[in-house]
């Protein structure tokens, strides 16, 4: 689809959906996200932006009830873990290195149909960045920050489609890693998001949003 034919949401529609969304505390366990809608949300994650385009992350989608039951105690026993249609565990790549840059350059060259040498300047900038790890740069903190960009993309995409979500930092990341076997894969849990449809008796659905006035949050200079 070209830029001239891209379908867009109206300004009023966007604001309506952003006002509609909230951190859903109680999901309706009987309602599941249809496959086409979920596939679109997965693609929104794939298309999320990241610094340098390096994508230092992996998103673990958990639907298996037995696995969710194991994650529940590591999630402060919050009901969303069991009741939501889907769970996404947002993880970041641990100790990202020059080899990860090399892999990304090779993949970029393949996708764009160019020779890797044409990307040498771009590559060297990233290599220089990666080599700062442990020398004033906490590469894992940087990677975790990138994950939050993807989280924001996911929450906004879901709201635009009328799907409820709840970002959850109230978890024990190391226990998630152990349960999901992430250590051997080189990833570490950063944050979780549950997705599905709000329960009709979730009182927070009608609770007014608390936001500071636009004049205090937005500055024009």
């Amino acid at each position: 689809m070209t830029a001239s034919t891209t379908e867009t949401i109206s300004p009023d529609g966007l604001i309506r959906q952003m006002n509609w969304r909230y951190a859903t505390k109680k999901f309706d366990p009987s309602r599941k996200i249809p496959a086409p809608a979920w596939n679109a949300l997965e693609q929104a994650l794939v298309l999320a932006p990241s610094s340098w385009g390096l994508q230092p992350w992996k998103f673990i989608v958990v639907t298996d009830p037995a696995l969710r039951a194991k994650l529940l105690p590591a999630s402060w026993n919050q009901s969303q873990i069991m009741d939501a249609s889907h769970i996404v565990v947002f993880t970041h790549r641990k100790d990202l290195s020059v080899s990860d840059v090399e892999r990304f350059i090779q993949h970029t060259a393949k996708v764009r149909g160019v020779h890797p040498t044409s990307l040498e300047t771009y590559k060297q900038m990233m290599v220089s960045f990666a080599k700062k790890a442990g020398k004033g740069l906490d590469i894992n903190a940087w990677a975790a920050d990138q994950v939050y960009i993807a989280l924001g993309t996911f929450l906004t995409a879901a709201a635009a489609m009328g799907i409820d979500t709840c970002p959850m930092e109230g978890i024990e990341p190391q226990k998630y890693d152990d349960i999901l076997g992430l250590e051997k894969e080189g990833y570490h849990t950063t944050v979780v998001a549950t997705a599905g449809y709000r329960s009709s008796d979730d009182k927070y659905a009608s609770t007014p949003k608390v936001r500071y006035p636009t004049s205090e949050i937005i500055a024009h200079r």
Side-chain angles (χ1 to χ4, degrees):
M1 183 177 289
T2 64
S4 61
T5 60
T6 297
E7 295 181 8
T8 61
I9 187 171
S10 70
D12 287 344
L14 175 62
I15 299 305
R16 181 178 62 251
Q17 290 310 108
M18 295 306 289
N19 273 305
W20 170 85
R21 73 147 301 279
Y22 71 109
T24 303
K25 304 301 183 184
K26 189 174 183 181
F27 286 91
D28 181 347
S30 70
R31 296 190 64 190
K32 304 301 180 184
I33 300 173
W38 182 254
N39 289 338
L41 287 178
E42 288 192 356
Q43 287 306 302
L45 286 171
V46 171
L47 293 168
S50 61
S51 183
W52 303 103
L54 279 170
Q55 306 156 72
W57 52 44
K58 180 176 283 189
F59 311 111
I60 314 298
V61 180
V62 183
T63 56
D64 177 29
L67 190 53
R68 288 186 182 205
K70 291 181 180 179
L71 293 172
L72 184 61
S75 312
W76 301 358
N77 290 310
Q78 296 177 83
S79 64
Q80 297 99 312
I81 296 299
M82 297 304 297
D83 294 341
S85 173
H86 291 66
I87 299 172
V88 182
V89 182
F90 290 73
T91 77
H92 67 264
R93 180 73 173 167
K94 293 173 61 178
D95 303 321
L96 185 135
S97 66
V98 172
S99 64
D100 294 294
V101 173
E102 292 278 5
R103 176 173 178 264
F104 176 65
I105 286 295
Q106 292 298 321
H107 184 61
T108 300
K110 180 180 179 181
V111 170
R112 295 182 175 173
V114 299
H115 196 277
T117 55
S118 68
L119 302 169
E120 189 62 25
T121 300
Y122 181 38
K123 171 185 170 181
Q124 289 306 319
M125 287 191 293
M126 289 187 286
V127 166
S128 176
F129 172 77
K131 285 183 176 180
K132 293 178 182 178
K135 302 176 182 178
L137 171 67
D138 186 335
I139 197 72
N140 290 322
W142 170 83
D145 287 343
Q146 300 304 303
V147 168
Y148 280 91
I149 299 174
L151 174 65
T153 299
F154 180 78
L155 300 180
T156 303
M161 296 175 65
I163 294 172
D164 289 299
T165 56
C166 184
M168 301 172 67
E169 287 187 310
I171 61 171
E172 297 180 66
Q174 188 57 56
K175 288 186 178 179
Y176 263 70
D177 290 357
D178 295 342
I179 293 167
L180 298 173
L182 297 179
E183 185 73 30
K184 64 179 182 294
E185 296 181 21
Y187 291 90
H188 179 60
T189 300
T190 307
V191 66
V192 168
T194 50
Y197 299 98
R198 65 191 69 178
S199 174
S200 60
D201 61 348
D202 187 352
K203 64 180 181 180
Y204 294 100
S206 58
T207 301
K209 282 188 182 299
V210 179
R211 297 292 189 273
Y212 288 111
T214 302
S215 60
E216 291 188 29
I217 304 299
I218 306 295
H220 299 91
R221 297 178 181 172

